[in-house]
Amino acid sequence: MIARLECVRMLRSRRPALAVASLVFFLALMLLGFYTYAQTQTGGEVDFRYTYENRSYFNGLTFALYAFYFGFQLVLPIFVAAEGGVHLAGETSAGTMRLLLARPLSRARLFSTKLSLALAYSTALTGGFLALALGVGLVAVGWGDVDLYPGVLQMSERHEHLDQALALQRFLWIWPVASLAMTAPLCLSFLLSAYLRSPVNAVACSVALYLVLFVVSEIHFFEELRPWLFTSSMSYWRELLREEIDWKAVHQSAASLAGWSILFSGLALARFRHREEP
Amino acid sequence: MISAKGLGHRFGERKALDGIDFELGAGEIAALVGPNGSGKTTFLSCAAGFLRPSSGELRVGGFEPWRDRRRVMERARFAFAPPALFEGLTAREHLRYLGNISRKGRPRLRAGEIEEALERVGLSERADERVGAFSFGMRQRLALAQALTPRPELLVLDEPTDGLDPLAVLELRKILVRLREEFGLAVLLSSHLLIEVDLLVDHLLVLNEGRCLFKGQPHELSKGNRVTRLRASDTERAASVLLAAGWSTVPAGNGELQLAGTAHDLEQVRTKLNAAGIRLDGYWEQSLSFEQALLERLKAARRNSSCEADSSISVTMTAGPIAKDLEA
């Protein structure tokens, strides 16, 4: 019954609608960005279906890949972090945590229900965003084979070619893999939320910490730190877009992210089970 | 149902509860009374297992709330103030979802039970409206309804009459009495509305700054408590003269003074006043009402604390005549 209660509350909240609206807005901005960039590059003579850097390889799948790449790193973690903040700190701040704890329900069960629901939400949001990006790419540009070159996304050090069917299959694989990657910031936000009673502080700290770690993991100065940061492994889903997937690297990153997630959620549960509710 | 022995709780260096002894049996109704910050909600939070006692022992339904909160909640139900509810859910959904949490081995709540609870608090007609649109009083009533669904053995209510109109307060009193008579429900409530407490409860625990100020039946609080009032030709000077002689007084209105305590040697008082050229026009003893008796206790506690700590403390209550008297 607690799971049903939490589901109903989430669905009736504005959070999912707000997240979807923001992601749609982000995709619209990306589309606009591509279009204006193309206009600049072609001196205003733009045929949107075959523009951007190179008309030979840009299509709806490339657009979806670019949109997901940036959205995954910068937009989705914000909503995921907010989810952690809402579930523990938000509930505490609103006083409803006491309402739940005043029922014969163990803290461990309450925590695991909330975490499971947040994980499901994060997975749905990741999949929804990916599907939306593919849909917008199909409608606005049109699909085709995926060609990746060394460049902006640092996805490949050489030219990679995936035909459309294979690329779509790989996009499908990306969903669970990217969802797993998103569990680490989600569990981090639960951890901070178990300590900070203000939801604003919990969300702000989660987002700030994620961004700091993300930036550190992207800067070459901190190369020695990278293996110790969960953000270094988060973009491992890009491996799935290679012609030959390095499964060992995928498994290592997945294991690392799962480890971080278990650590964060374990610490969060330990804190939640022993904290007072004044 | 509740047994506290030497219960204490600290928030950092501050003692929120200090050595509280309290017993509440099945079918009894008790009230926690005291000014804001006296430790009432801290006591209830400890009983709910939300706070870990720093010292002493506390058992609710035979279990330690901090360690066995889940078992305590199988028998007891709490409604804290202000009532926190899920804004997106309707009143009926609140009762259905909360009432069916963790009912292992027991059948689910029947629709009739939910209807009965809603009707009992007067929310039947708005049962399918979302709580976000409810007034404070309606939230308070829903909080009571959820605490009664399913019916517990012990009901703990924090400021249950806040935001309720007089009729609803009367109805609440009837509900609690009926539940006690029919089902042997034990009730512990904290309240500022002393008149309600006086009419309803079997036991009273008065707290002040985390310490027990009085414990017993309400009528015992005012039993034997009498004050002496006097009228003098110059009340201001009379107060100074008496203070210098060791009698503290408080203005009682209409040019009268009230002597703290009751055992006063009136002949000595008259002699002192006469020596200062002040005429004693009259004096009389007066029994204290429940509220006045409580007020006197709190004032006495304040005076004692001031002496002990050599600094003034403030005792405030949120509403009612006591608050006004204390501020005066």
Side-chain angles (χ1 to χ4, degrees):
Chain A
M1 189 53 73
I2 183 65
R4 279 185 65 184
L5 170 64
E6 291 293 317
C7 272
V8 170
R9 289 179 61 206
M10 173 181 275
L11 293 173
R12 297 231 181 124
S13 74
R14 293 176 186 162
R15 300 196 313 272
L18 186 67
V20 170
S22 301
L23 292 174
V24 168
F25 180 64
F26 175 76
L27 284 175
L29 280 180
M30 285 290 290
L31 205 56
L32 187 68
F34 275 94
Y35 184 69
T36 51
Y37 183 77
Q39 275 193 321
T40 310
Q41 294 297 305
T42 59
E45 296 175 7
V46 63
D47 176 359
F48 189 69
R49 291 179 67 83
Y50 301 103
T51 54
Y52 191 49
E53 290 171 332
N54 186 323
R55 70 171 59 186
S56 67
Y57 78 88
F58 182 74
N59 58 44
L61 292 184
T62 324
F63 167 80
L65 176 58
Y66 274 54
F68 187 75
Y69 177 84
F70 292 113
F72 176 85
Q73 287 181 326
L74 298 170
V75 184
L76 281 176
I78 292 173
F79 292 107
V80 164
E83 201 57 22
V86 165
H87 275 289
L88 293 186
E91 199 95 86
T92 304
S93 171
T96 44
M97 184 63 83
R98 281 174 154 229
L99 188 64
L100 292 170
L101 290 175
R103 292 283 159 177
L105 179 69
S106 72
R107 284 181 181 250
R109 189 163 161 226
L110 179 59
F111 180 89
S112 58
T113 302
K114 285 181 170 295
L115 184 61
S116 303
L117 187 68
L119 286 170
Y121 174 71
S122 165
T123 303
L125 204 60
T126 306
F129 182 48
L130 194 54
L132 202 61
L134 286 168
V136 170
L138 175 65
V139 172
V141 189
W143 289 347
D145 294 349
V146 171
D147 283 285
L148 294 176
Y149 296 94
V152 182
L153 301 190
Q154 300 173 346
M155 282 202 176
S156 175
E157 289 167 357
R158 62 183 182 83
H159 172 231
E160 305 269 358
H161 175 84
L162 300 173
D163 63 46
Q164 181 179 303
L166 183 61
L168 284 170
Q169 186 193 55
R170 297 289 177 84
F171 271 112
L172 192 64
W173 291 1
I174 283 173
W175 178 22
V177 170
S179 297
L180 174 63
M182 214 41 87
T183 58
L186 177 69
C187 293
L188 175 66
S189 76
F190 263 73
L191 175 59
L192 292 171
S193 189
Y195 278 92
L196 302 170
R197 292 181 186 276
S198 155
V200 174
N201 288 347
V203 173
C205 280
S206 302
V207 172
L209 193 55
Y210 167 79
L211 289 177
V212 167
L213 295 178
F214 170 70
V215 168
V216 167
S217 65
E218 291 292 309
I219 296 176
H220 290 289
F221 301 146
F222 300 105
E223 197 153 353
E224 288 188 3
L225 278 178
R226 280 183 180 177
W228 303 99
L229 305 174
F230 72 85
T231 44
S232 307
S233 310
M234 277 185 69
S235 294
Y236 77 120
W237 56 268
R238 292 183 298 189
E239 287 290 334
L240 298 178
L241 290 167
R242 291 182 191 279
E243 289 168 12
E244 296 293 326
I245 298 171
D246 181 354
W247 285 109
K248 190 182 173 191
V250 170
H251 290 150
Q252 276 179 347
S253 295
S256 167
L257 287 163
W260 282 110
S261 300
I262 290 166
L263 177 68
F264 290 147
S265 55
L267 291 172
L269 175 60
R271 167 65 183 163
F272 182 63
R273 284 182 70 181
H274 295 105
R275 77 176 193 179
E276 292 188 317
E277 307 291 336
Chain B
M1 290 303 297
I2 299 181
S3 168
K5 287 174 188 165
L7 180 67
H9 183 76
R10 281 174 173 275
F11 287 113
E13 289 299 306
R14 191 174 72 80
K15 281 184 180 175
L17 284 177
D18 188 11
I20 304 297
D21 295 326
F22 178 71
E23 295 284 336
L24 177 72
E28 292 179 338
I29 300 182
L32 288 177
V33 176
N36 286 343
S38 59
K40 301 189 298 294
T41 301
T42 304
F43 185 92
L44 299 187
S45 297
C46 285
F50 296 162
L51 296 177
R52 183 180 205 162
S54 315
S55 58
E57 192 180 302
L58 175 65
R59 288 190 171 268
V60 177
F63 299 101
E64 276 185 61
W66 177 255
R67 290 175 189 275
D68 289 312
R69 183 186 48 78
R70 196 169 59 81
R71 289 185 175 180
V72 167
M73 295 307 173
E74 283 172 358
R75 308 179 69 182
R77 199 78 68 240
F78 290 73
F80 283 92
L85 299 162
F86 305 122
E87 302 292 314
L89 264 58
T90 66
R92 193 191 307 279
E93 286 169 337
H94 268 86
L95 302 195
R96 190 169 71 230
Y97 288 124
L98 289 172
N100 281 317
I101 284 178
S102 294
R103 286 176 66 81
K104 284 176 190 166
R106 284 168 293 171
R108 283 196 170 183
L109 277 179
R110 286 178 290 106
E113 289 178 80
I114 293 172
E115 291 306 320
E116 186 188 328
L118 288 167
E119 199 164 328
R120 194 178 280 147
V121 298
L123 285 177
S124 296
E125 290 182 3
R126 304 189 68 173
D128 295 313
E129 285 182 30
R130 290 197 184 178
V131 166
F134 277 18
S135 68
F136 186 84
M138 290 169 68
R139 285 165 177 266
Q140 189 74 289
R141 283 189 273 163
L142 180 57
L144 176 64
Q146 68 82 24
L148 292 171
T149 319
R151 192 172 48 247
E153 294 170 44
L154 167 67
L155 182 62
V156 181
L157 305 172
D158 187 14
E159 306 290 355
T161 51
D162 270 8
L164 296 187
D165 57 62
L167 278 176
V169 171
L170 186 67
E171 191 55 36
L172 170 67
R173 198 166 71 217
K174 284 181 185 169
I175 290 169
L176 296 182
V177 170
R178 196 166 66 234
L179 288 170
R180 182 202 16 204
E181 286 171 355
E182 290 178 15
F183 306 105
L185 180 77
V187 181
L188 174 62
L189 54 94
S190 74
S191 180
H192 289 312
L193 282 183
L194 299 175
I195 184 73
E196 289 306 319
V197 168
D198 193 17
L199 290 169
L200 187 65
V201 306
D202 307 309
H203 300 289
L204 188 64
L205 176 64
V206 181
L207 298 177
N208 184 49
E209 296 197 321
R211 286 192 288 266
C212 175
L213 201 58
F214 172 81
K215 191 173 63 173
Q217 295 179 331
H219 73 269
E220 290 174 339
L221 187 68
S222 50
K223 189 177 166 185
N225 264 336
R226 300 170 75 81
V227 289
T228 303
R229 289 196 173 189
L230 59 86
R231 184 175 292 146
S233 55
D234 184 341
T235 41
E236 278 190 23
R237 277 190 58 223
S240 307
V241 168
L242 292 175
L243 185 63
W247 287 296
S248 96
T249 61
V250 288
N254 299 324
E256 294 168 8
L257 286 176
Q258 181 177 298
L259 284 168
T262 54
H264 302 294
D265 187 339
L266 288 165
E267 183 54 33
Q268 279 189 37
V269 168
R270 192 176 64 81
T271 307
K272 286 281 178 192
L273 292 177
N274 283 346
I278 303 167
R279 192 179 66 251
L280 182 62
D281 291 336
Y283 62 88
W284 59 94
E285 283 197 339
Q286 191 179 345
S287 292
L288 292 178
S289 68
F290 175 73
E291 280 190 301
Q292 286 171 324
L294 182 58
L295 174 64
E296 284 304 314
R297 294 260 181 178
L298 290 170
K299 281 178 179 173
R302 184 169 61 173
R303 278 194 299 274
N304 292 340
S305 298
S306 299
C307 292
E308 286 167 14
D310 197 25
S311 64
S312 63
I313 59 163
S314 64
V315 180
T316 56
M317 295 185 80
T318 53
I322 284 185
K324 288 172 191 162
D325 282 357
L326 279 170
E327 281 165 16

